[in-house]
Amino acid sequence: APQELLAFGDSMPVTITIYNRGREPVMLSDLRLTGTLHRAMEAVTIAPDSSVRLSRSVIGLVDTRPWWIGSRGGADMFKRKESSADGLARVSVMPSDLVPGTAVAEDARRETDVAVTLNVAGAKVTADAGPINFRTSDPVLGEQNRPVGGVPAVTLEFDRSLNWVPAGKQIDRQLRLTLRSFASSPKTFSFKLVTPAGIRVDSVPASVTLQPNEQREVFLRLRGSLKEGRHIFGITAVGETGSYLEGFTTVLYPHIRPIRLYHQSGMYLQAVEVTVPATLSVAYVQGVGDFVAPFLRDLMIPVSILTPEELPLADLSRFSTVVVGTRAYQAHRELVAYNSRLLDFAKKGGTLVVQYGQNEMTAPGVLPYPIGRNNARVTEEDAPVTVLEPKSRLLNWPNKIGEADWADWLQERSLYMPTVIDPHFSTPLEMHDPGEPENRGALLVTPLGKGMYVYTTLSLFRQIPGGVPGGVRLFVNALSAGLEPPPPKKVQP
């Protein structure tokens, strides 16, 4: 095929080559392609040590999104896909091979197929030639073959599927919407918005025309305020040939077929009651799978991303707080060498917040005081949380952490928790899975010189991108551990 992706409704030519490397002639009597109407053909004789090349036009290639990724189907793990050409109903090019609706291994499924019928030495043979491929060359990897598939003619995609919003406060922010055409002809469409009460959207173009294979960015300006809770914001492109409300990203590795992950062209606006100190400013050293920093900016917290290489020369005095992301010490060994600079930052009055690591955290000098045996977890996301130090500032300022903040957590509470903790640390929380021993290793806090050191194994890196209000409120408290609360307002007599 001349391209990897074909818009639904479009057609493209494909070339089929049949090689005869034997010593006797072979007769090609039939050729069938998924995505094209079958037509009878005159038999073609392929001489020994030669080939024949045929052209066909395919249309309406099947959707190549994985059947095992998507919304749940009620009590079932996966929602059944009723398409006759993909998903659970599509298991083979020959309907008699397997019963439709049976799930089979990925390498046994075909998104697109080529089947030929040959006459070899008087015997009729039908051969499955596999998928239609898009072939490219890579200077390092060599020849690359990817199965072709169908995609929407137009896709719409936001950068993220969730944005935090301070509840009850005026916001004025821009969202980037990426438009992309996979069609072979220009597509003109207008937009339809779904907006929550209290939000108005500016800068929406009246219409857009995308040329074939064009990609364009549109910036939407959101203004207004939202009540506490989760709100839906979405956008649909409406054209003469239909509506478009999806985008996808592609997972691409050399050892597997490309996987396209689809999502709706919308997002959640998560409005949270949160107080952020005016003097809070953050330098963030990102860790593994750590996407927290952009969400802090949603809450109007000034955040600068620092790489470990920049750490020795960076002016940390500009920040109130430095954050080290999940497993950063393991992923960036140079961070261990520069760790003394981070500890000095805290000793001079800053706040250092370090998120969970694995065995590297027990090495001397990584934490200011030692921990040991950090292999405990709390895998139940609704495991009870016991407050051991109700007056701990991390649980009271600038946000009062209550029982509601531990509700609706995602996947787990805490991971790689230490079970041996130096007494210099205060441990305001206790949590454990049912049947497991008590553990105080979720949150460790200690003064360090003039500043504060916070080590947390709580899975905040999951809760904040997942829209859990308690996770973001607790994280803001940790970031603010070394800041001074404002003096109480004087009451006028």
Side-chain angles (χ1 to χ4, degrees):
Q3 62 195 60
E4 181 180 358
L5 302 176
L6 180 65
F8 299 137
D10 282 355
S11 64
M12 69 176 174
V14 298
T15 302
I16 306 97
T17 306
I18 302 99
Y19 300 90
N20 177 10
R21 296 189 173 92
R23 299 180 179 179
E24 299 294 332
V26 171
M27 181 178 292
L28 171 66
S29 59
D30 194 23
L31 171 67
R32 294 176 181 266
L33 274 76
T34 296
T36 183
L37 295 174
H38 178 254
R39 67 186 189 193
M41 60 171 289
E42 294 185 6
V44 177
T45 299
I46 309 172
D49 195 24
S50 65
S51 63
V52 63
R53 180 172 295 180
L54 304 174
S55 295
R56 294 290 188 271
S57 180
V58 296
I59 187 171
L61 291 180
V62 298
D63 190 339
T64 55
R65 70 188 72 192
W67 61 267
W68 39 267
I69 295 180
S71 59
R72 290 177 178 265
D76 298 327
M77 182 173 292
F78 301 111
K79 185 177 180 180
R80 177 181 173 86
K81 296 182 77 171
E82 300 294 341
S83 168
S84 61
D86 194 25
L88 298 182
R90 170 71 170 171
V91 293
S92 173
V93 69
M94 301 298 291
S96 60
D97 287 352
L98 291 171
V99 177
T102 301
V104 297
E106 284 299 297
D107 57 0
R109 295 175 62 250
R110 301 295 187 194
E111 284 84 13
T112 54
D113 294 278
V114 181
V116 295
T117 301
L118 305 169
N119 191 300
V120 182
K124 185 178 180 181
V125 178
T126 298
D128 180 3
I132 302 172
N133 284 314
F134 171 64
R135 181 176 298 169
T136 60
S137 61
D138 184 277
V140 176
L141 301 176
E143 183 179 296
Q144 301 291 296
N145 288 286
R146 298 179 186 169
V148 303
V151 293
V154 175
T155 61
L156 303 85
E157 187 171 8
F158 287 108
D159 293 341
R160 288 186 273 139
S161 59
L162 182 138
N163 268 245
W164 285 97
V165 175
K169 297 181 180 179
Q170 290 292 319
I171 63 167
D172 187 345
R173 68 180 58 172
Q174 284 190 328
L175 301 179
R176 180 171 63 181
L177 178 68
T178 301
L179 309 174
R180 187 175 178 185
S181 170
F182 294 91
S184 58
S185 60
K187 293 290 183 181
T188 300
F189 46 85
S190 59
F191 294 104
K192 181 180 179 181
L193 291 170
V194 176
T195 57
I199 291 294
R200 63 187 185 276
V201 182
D202 297 335
S203 306
V204 180
S207 67
V208 167
T209 298
L210 289 183
Q211 299 302 318
N213 299 311
E214 181 185 358
Q215 179 172 314
R216 188 185 304 181
E217 292 180 345
V218 173
F219 291 89
L220 309 179
R221 185 181 181 186
L222 272 63
R223 291 189 287 179
S225 65
L226 288 172
K227 295 181 180 180
E228 185 179 16
R230 179 167 292 190
H231 308 268
I232 295 176
F233 173 78
I235 187 167
T236 302
V238 181
E240 294 182 356
T241 57
S243 299
Y244 310 101
L245 68 164
E246 287 185 308
F248 66 84
T249 54
T250 302
V251 178
L252 190 61
Y253 290 99
H255 61 289
I256 61 172
R257 291 183 178 184
I259 299 174
R260 281 173 276 280
L261 308 179
Y262 279 80
H263 33 261
Q264 299 292 315
S265 54
M267 66 172 60
Y268 291 116
L269 300 177
Q270 186 73 46
V272 59
E273 292 283 356
V274 61
T275 300
V276 176
T279 55
L280 179 61
S281 61
V282 176
Y284 204 111
V285 182
Q286 290 182 302
V288 178
D290 183 358
F291 307 106
V292 169
F295 295 97
L296 299 181
R297 294 192 181 110
D298 289 349
L299 301 174
M300 302 171 191
I301 299 173
V303 179
S304 298
I305 304 296
L306 289 183
T307 65
E309 295 80 7
E310 294 172 324
L311 197 56
L313 300 178
D315 179 11
L316 299 182
S317 65
R318 299 185 296 116
F319 307 100
S320 70
T321 305
V322 173
V323 179
V324 178
T326 54
R327 295 171 55 192
Y329 288 99
Q330 184 183 45
H332 308 288
R333 302 306 300 171
E334 62 270 34
L335 192 58
V336 178
Y338 304 148
N339 191 54
S340 60
R341 187 151 197 265
L342 294 174
L343 297 177
D344 287 341
F345 166 77
K347 292 174 182 177
K348 293 176 181 178
T351 300
L352 180 58
V353 178
V354 178
Q355 298 180 73
Y356 92 96
Q358 297 183 359
N359 293 330
E360 71 277 7
M361 305 309 294
T362 62
V366 175
L367 269 70
Y369 306 109
I371 60 172
R373 296 204 303 271
N374 63 333
N375 56 358
R377 304 176 78 113
V378 180
T379 60
E380 296 288 344
E381 60 268 27
D382 55 356
V385 176
T386 301
V387 177
L388 302 176
E389 300 177 14
K391 295 183 179 180
S392 170
R393 208 176 96 167
L394 257 70
L395 304 180
N396 290 277
W397 188 84
N399 301 284
K400 177 71 174 178
I401 302 300
E403 186 176 346
D405 291 298
W406 302 107
D408 302 320
W409 277 46
L410 303 174
Q411 187 165 334
E412 61 199 344
R413 288 279 197 212
S414 190
L415 60 168
Y416 295 98
M417 305 166 69
T419 54
V420 178
I421 302 170
D422 188 278
H424 281 90
F425 289 108
S426 63
T427 54
L429 299 175
E430 190 284 320
M431 60 188 71
H432 60 274
D433 278 333
E436 295 291 327
E438 293 186 359
N439 193 295
R440 300 186 176 196
L443 189 60
L444 281 61
V445 190
T446 183
L448 194 61
K450 297 179 181 179
M452 295 294 294
Y453 186 98
V454 179
Y455 179 63
T456 179
T457 62
L458 291 168
S459 60
L460 300 175
F461 70 102
R462 299 193 197 281
Q463 313 313 315
I464 295 173
V468 178
V472 78
R473 285 162 46 85
L474 185 59
F475 199 64
V476 170
N477 283 14
L479 299 177
S480 310
L483 298 178
E484 289 297 326
K489 293 183 180 180
K490 293 183 179 181
V491 178
Q492 295 293 333

